[in-house]
Amino acid sequence: MDELTTPVREQHKFSVTKLLNYLSVNSWVSNNDAVTVRQYSSGQSNPTFLIQTPSKRYVLRKKPPGQLLPGAHKVDREYRVQNALYSAGFPVPQPLLHCTDAEVIGTEFYLMEHVKQGRIFRDLRLPGVSAAERTALYVAAVETLAKLHSLDLASLNLEGFGKGSGYCRRQVSTWSKQYSAAAHRDIPAMNELSNWLMKSLPAKDDEVTLVHGDFRLDNLIFHPTETRVIAVLDWELSTTGQPLADLAYFLMHHYWPVNISLSSMRIPTVCDLLSIYCQCRGIPSGLPHLNFYLALSIFKMAGIAQGIYARHLLGNASAPNAAQFGQCVEPFAKIALEIAQRLVAVTSFYLLIVTTHTLYNNMHACVQVKAREAGLWNLFLPAVSGLSQLDYAYIAEETGRCLFAPEVFNCQAPDTGNMEVLHMFGSEEQKKKWLEPLLRGDIRSCFCMTEPDVASSDATNIECTLRRDGDSYVINGKKWWSSGAGNPKCKVAIVMSLGMNLFLRHGQHSMILVPMDTPGVKLIRPLTVFGQDDAIHGGHFEVHFENVRVPAPSIILGEGRGFEIAQGRLGPGRLHHCMRAVGLAELALELLCQRAASRSTFGKNLYQHEVVAHWIAECRLMIEQTRLLTLHAAHALDTLGNRAARKQIAMIKVAAARMACKVVDCAIQVHGGAGVSGDVPLAQMYSYVRTLRLADGPDEVHLSSIANLELRDQLKKMQAKL
């Protein structure tokens, strides 16, 4: 605590005796208690103090002494909003009393509980914290902000706490006035920034939520060992208004000059944090008018810095380094102007992307309607489509030539596998609640099996726990690579969990249905593949389950049946992946040949070079071989069933991914620099097929299975001959 507090500064000293008498009358301390008071070293606005007795600790916040700017340092508003938030279960210190009698310590003040344990990070780069924990801490902060913006003002009794819509105009006006009232010299950049902000106000500014106004990492207290926020501090600037301004204020440090940027510290990117925030609030991704909100945030910081310096000149500043803030105002303004100008083009591009995405979604929905009307719907499921696995294999190959084609026909992963699980193993209640809307395409789903803390290639390592508690199951654990979890339509997850039966190696695990809106289900972060988001279906997410409680009928088939279900799920699913890989490889070979015929080097076309001609021939051989092997596996599934076709499925899982990787790699090589750019689809295709060598188990696991099954078959032949 000593590193966070100092002896009370001379200008902020008050009568400890009067405070003790007041607190004892209100029963917060005993009159006989020895009370010590220390001042928190951080904080530049309302002075904050640690009040200690032999048995208790409190935190006191008060107005600074002396002349104050109009409308500033409203500790009564801080007390009111914290009281409302604490009653609603939002993480704030418990407010205890509010004193308006200036006779007690010289100014109005309020008292709150002292958060006993926790971590406060003053350095935004979080030195000494692992990269994984650093990411999780930032994600927890954004989730907390989204939770704040999702609270209902009426239920908090804070409807009159602010002035409602028009927040951005009021903020520009307020901070322009605050700056002018505190300015010690004329700063042209501040005047220019103020004018730019007033001219660039968002056309639509009618969203109203509770906003913190100063939401920064160092205003949060994190759990001592866990990556979650246990208290949000400093509510002096809180009001009601535009929540996106609050979010931009938290994100603005990502746009600092390169020498102090967070980008080199493996902090989550703005795109990642935006995605998480929007997912938590259930709103469309993105932040329109980003340049305005960032510039407003920095303008506000410049105004705060000017106010701190003004209090230094008056002799009532709250911190010993207040004099330094006078040097920050002009640089802040120049940074804001640079960001505003630099991001105007980015904002225009964002609007174009949003428009294009909307058009794509509308077009996509229209195509889906036509596909369904034509009966081209749920083709993967024999019981619905009437097609055999062999029939569907040819269709899967064609859809493999376009990354979003499976979704047009409601044949996309991971929903296909999840629908197969529910079809084969689900109860009638589960089918009605989840399978039917999935088959209609009304909702989406995700599959949560792989875990970040264990080698999931050995599925018996899975640690996510499942505990029976009366009429419910309680789930705790971490999952990642949960594809589709970020899709707004994703409503349910199938979660592989470790149960209580630890004696049977393959009878320990269960699969259970978890609605995504269940308390305790947390989308931690979207994952990337080769640094890029290749998940057009809603992202590969890390998902945490923290004391997630679901009704007992949510378990699929019964406790300990997880591996049995997994084997039934993976057979058809792997077949679909492999045939799509064949279709993708066909497209890659087409692109290779077109490039080889249209480009020339050293006096002849590329295809006339022997090495390129051999690549073309080898690619054709590999594609044909893999197609035949995959069709053979489809036939085995149809005629022998999942269990008997295990070897064929394992073989195509290895062969198809390897083949597709090699064909796409050759196509990239022939395209040269264009092959790894976004101008042609090869880089995205490669990331997809390279991932297939890990998805549903790495090649090495399948090779071991193939070897064991082959030895078994050979031994049976030998025994038959004897």
Side-chain angles (χ1 to χ4, degrees):
M1 185 57 62
D2 288 341
E3 72 275 11
L4 298 177
T5 61
T6 65
V8 178
R9 300 177 194 111
E10 188 63 34
Q11 67 271 30
H12 293 142
K13 286 185 176 179
F14 53 81
S15 172
V16 176
T17 302
K18 286 187 177 181
L19 176 64
L20 176 60
N21 290 336
Y22 180 82
L23 295 180
S24 63
V25 168
N26 288 276
S27 303
W28 292 109
V29 299
S30 168
N31 222 356
N32 300 321
D33 281 345
V35 175
T36 60
V37 179
R38 289 180 64 84
Q39 186 167 2
Y40 280 95
S41 53
S42 61
Q44 300 291 349
S45 185
N46 292 331
T48 308
F49 306 87
L50 176 64
I51 312 297
Q52 299 185 84
T53 72
S55 59
K56 296 180 180 178
R57 287 184 172 188
Y58 304 106
V59 174
L60 183 150
R61 270 173 74 85
K62 66 186 288 290
K63 287 188 174 185
Q67 183 180 353
L68 303 176
L69 293 173
H73 310 285
K74 296 288 188 180
V75 296
D76 58 324
R77 287 175 60 83
E78 288 189 50
Y79 180 80
R80 180 186 173 190
V81 72
Q82 281 189 226
N83 205 35
L85 289 169
Y86 183 81
S87 298
F90 187 82
V92 293
Q94 181 181 7
L96 303 175
L97 64 86
H98 174 223
C99 177
T100 58
D101 185 359
E103 293 295 321
V104 179
I105 62 172
T107 67
E108 181 182 352
F109 72 91
Y110 73 95
L111 195 74
M112 57 183 153
E113 70 165 346
H114 173 261
V115 180
K116 295 180 181 180
Q117 294 180 325
R119 296 178 289 171
I120 298 178
F121 297 97
R122 302 297 180 194
D123 189 335
L124 299 178
R125 298 167 297 179
L126 308 186
V129 174
S130 70
E133 186 175 14
R134 194 178 299 129
T135 295
L137 289 167
Y138 266 83
V139 169
V142 168
E143 288 180 334
T144 302
L145 184 60
K147 181 179 179 181
L148 173 68
H149 294 162
S150 300
L151 294 173
D152 179 63
L153 290 171
S155 65
L156 292 172
N157 293 319
L158 289 176
E159 289 177 294
F161 189 67
K163 296 181 180 179
S165 60
Y167 174 82
C168 293
R169 180 181 293 275
R170 290 197 306 275
Q171 283 287 292
V172 175
S173 177
T174 296
W175 288 105
S176 294
K177 291 175 182 177
Q178 293 275 37
Y179 163 71
S180 298
H184 64 290
R185 65 182 178 90
D186 182 54
I187 301 177
M190 283 293 285
N191 299 329
E192 182 183 353
L193 179 57
S194 176
N195 291 334
W196 182 89
L197 287 167
M198 193 56 76
K199 292 177 182 177
S200 306
L201 292 168
K204 188 176 181 181
D205 185 22
D206 54 2
E207 185 177 8
V208 177
T209 71
L210 183 62
V211 294
H212 182 274
D214 193 18
F215 194 87
R216 310 190 313 263
L217 205 69
D218 54 340
N219 272 336
L220 308 178
I221 301 179
F222 289 90
H223 188 278
T225 58
E226 300 174 14
T227 54
R228 60 183 175 90
V229 176
I230 58 175
V232 181
L233 309 177
D234 198 353
W235 292 87
E236 182 188 355
L237 298 178
S238 61
T239 184
T240 59
Q242 174 56 256
L244 297 183
D246 234 8
L247 177 60
Y249 191 84
F250 179 75
L251 297 174
M252 66 179 164
H253 300 286
H254 287 74
Y255 294 89
W256 265 186
V258 175
N259 62 323
I260 56 173
S261 173
L262 301 178
S263 59
S264 61
M265 292 299 296
R266 299 180 71 181
I267 300 298
T269 66
V270 169
C271 289
D272 288 344
L273 295 175
L274 277 175
S275 177
I276 294 164
Y277 173 86
C278 294
Q279 176 69 29
C280 290
R281 289 196 62 204
I283 61 176
S285 296
L287 182 55
H289 305 293
L290 177 61
N291 59 322
F292 174 85
Y293 292 123
L294 288 169
L296 174 60
S297 297
I298 301 173
F299 180 59
K300 184 163 73 172
M301 282 195 68
I304 292 171
Q306 184 64 63
I308 293 169
Y309 184 68
R311 289 197 297 277
H312 160 73
L313 296 177
L314 292 171
N316 64 349
S318 299
N321 64 339
Q324 301 173 11
F325 281 77
Q327 305 169 19
C328 300
V329 181
E330 186 171 17
F332 278 155
K334 289 181 176 179
I335 289 172
L337 286 170
E338 179 185 345
I339 287 174
Q341 295 162 4
R342 174 158 44 100
L343 290 181
V344 167
V346 174
T347 303
S348 299
F349 177 72
Y350 166 80
L351 292 174
L352 175 62
I353 291 298
V354 170
T355 303
T356 304
H357 185 66
T358 302
L359 290 173
Y360 166 79
N361 283 340
N362 291 340
M363 179 185 71
H364 193 253
C366 291
V367 176
Q368 281 187 318
V369 169
K370 289 185 177 182
R372 188 169 183 177
E373 290 175 348
L376 303 175
W377 196 253
N378 297 324
L379 302 171
F380 69 95
L381 196 59
V384 175
S385 67
L387 300 174
S388 67
Q389 296 292 350
L390 183 59
D391 294 332
Y392 179 67
Y394 292 101
I395 298 171
E397 178 179 343
E398 291 303 312
T399 61
R401 298 171 64 91
C402 175
L403 290 177
F404 63 81
E407 192 173 348
V408 170
F409 307 103
N410 207 39
C411 294
Q412 69 284 338
D415 298 297
T416 50
N418 292 342
M419 285 188 269
E420 285 166 341
V421 165
L422 289 168
H423 173 70
M424 290 187 289
F425 307 112
S427 66
E428 291 305 313
E429 179 185 351
Q430 292 167 351
K431 290 178 181 179
K432 185 173 182 61
K433 185 173 183 178
W434 300 117
L435 179 58
E436 290 181 11
L438 281 168
L439 288 171
R440 291 194 301 268
D442 295 340
I443 65 171
R444 300 288 293 273
S445 62
C446 64
F447 186 70
C448 299
M449 183 166 181
T450 307
E451 297 183 359
D453 297 333
V454 297
S456 303
S457 55
D458 178 358
T460 60
N461 286 337
I462 296 299
E463 292 181 339
C464 178
T465 60
L466 180 74
R467 173 176 60 85
R468 183 71 182 253
D469 183 18
D471 294 333
S472 304
Y473 284 103
V474 179
I475 305 156
N476 280 282
K478 301 176 183 178
K479 300 289 185 178
W480 70 347
W481 296 108
S482 300
S483 302
N487 192 306
K489 292 176 66 176
C490 183
K491 302 301 181 184
V492 65
I494 295 180
V495 184
M496 182 77 151
S497 303
L498 177 67
M500 302 304 295
N501 183 3
L502 304 182
F503 299 101
L504 296 175
R505 177 175 171 80
H506 293 97
Q508 302 177 28
H509 296 81
S510 304
M511 287 194 188
I512 192 163
L513 291 158
V514 179
M516 294 299 286
D517 60 359
T518 307
V521 178
K522 296 185 176 181
L523 297 184
I524 299 300
R525 59 183 174 127
L527 303 169
T528 60
V529 179
F530 291 104
Q532 302 295 320
D533 176 15
D534 80 329
I536 61 173
H537 46 61
H540 307 295
F541 265 77
E542 179 173 348
V543 185
H544 289 186
F545 297 86
E546 299 177 3
N547 293 317
V548 174
R549 183 179 294 270
V550 295
S554 300
I555 200 160
I556 302 175
L557 199 58
E559 292 186 26
R561 309 288 293 273
F563 277 90
E564 178 183 347
I565 298 170
Q567 291 305 311
R569 179 185 191 275
L570 292 176
R574 286 171 180 160
L575 173 69
H576 306 159
H577 274 308
C578 293
M579 282 307 289
R580 284 194 290 265
V582 171
L584 181 145
E586 284 284 9
L587 176 60
L589 183 54
E590 284 182 20
L591 294 172
L592 187 163
C593 292
Q594 291 170 9
R595 184 78 168 188
S598 63
R599 292 294 178 105
S600 61
T601 60
F602 306 106
K604 55 185 178 181
N605 290 330
L606 288 178
Y607 71 83
Q608 292 175 311
H609 292 277
E610 187 175 36
V611 63
V612 176
H614 286 185
W615 285 348
I616 294 170
E618 293 287 352
C619 288
R620 174 47 62 199
L621 286 169
M622 288 187 293
I623 291 172
E624 295 297 337
Q625 290 167 349
T626 305
R627 177 186 289 111
L628 290 173
L629 187 60
T630 308
L631 293 174
H632 175 63
H635 177 69
L637 269 176
D638 286 334
T639 57
L640 302 176
N642 287 353
R643 183 173 181 79
R646 282 182 299 164
K647 184 167 71 173
Q648 289 86 344
I649 294 294
M651 288 193 293
I652 62 169
K653 176 63 176 62
V654 175
R658 285 183 174 181
M659 174 276 296
C661 276
K662 180 62 178 176
V663 174
V664 175
D665 186 65
C666 289
I668 289 173
Q669 199 70 11
V670 170
H671 278 75
V676 293
S677 75
D679 293 354
V680 292
L682 292 169
Q684 188 178 14
M685 292 162 67
Y686 185 82
S687 70
Y688 168 71
V689 294
R690 183 60 184 85
T691 303
L692 282 184
R693 295 188 62 191
L694 297 170
D696 291 339
D699 289 356
E700 291 72 20
V701 171
H702 294 289
L703 289 170
S704 295
S705 296
I706 294 166
N708 290 334
L709 292 168
E710 180 64 21
L711 285 168
R712 183 201 64 182
D713 292 343
Q714 292 291 347
L715 289 174
K716 284 183 178 179
K717 289 181 181 178
M718 292 171 59
Q719 291 173 353
K721 289 180 180 178
L722 295 176

